[in-house]
Amino acid sequence: MEIRIWILHKQGKSIHAIARELSVSRGTVRKYVRQPGLSARADQNLIESRGIPFWSDL
């Protein structure tokens, strides 16, 4: 779930919109958006899901 939250956030969706879409509280969304290190994990998962190797795999 945290990866989906970060991806939606990077797409420019508001915390309120993300919470509504995923049926979670705004506090939960805020917690994951503020979590340090999440950006790198989200970016890696997004890249891998598209079949592009992550930089550490090269």
Side-chain angles (χ1 to χ4, degrees), residues 5-53:
I5 290 172
W6 181 256
I7 291 169
L8 292 170
H9 180 69
K10 286 190 81 167
Q11 290 174 348
K13 293 202 176 199
S14 69
I15 288 175
H16 183 78
I18 296 168
R20 193 177 32 210
E21 183 173 329
L22 299 179
S23 300
V24 296
S25 73
R26 290 187 315 260
T28 299
V29 173
R30 196 173 295 116
K31 176 179 76 172
Y32 286 123
V33 167
R34 291 180 179 169
Q35 189 175 28
L38 182 58
S39 174
R41 288 198 313 261
D43 288 343
Q44 180 178 1
N45 285 347
L46 181 62
I47 289 169
E48 289 174 351
S49 70
R50 293 184 178 164
I52 304 167

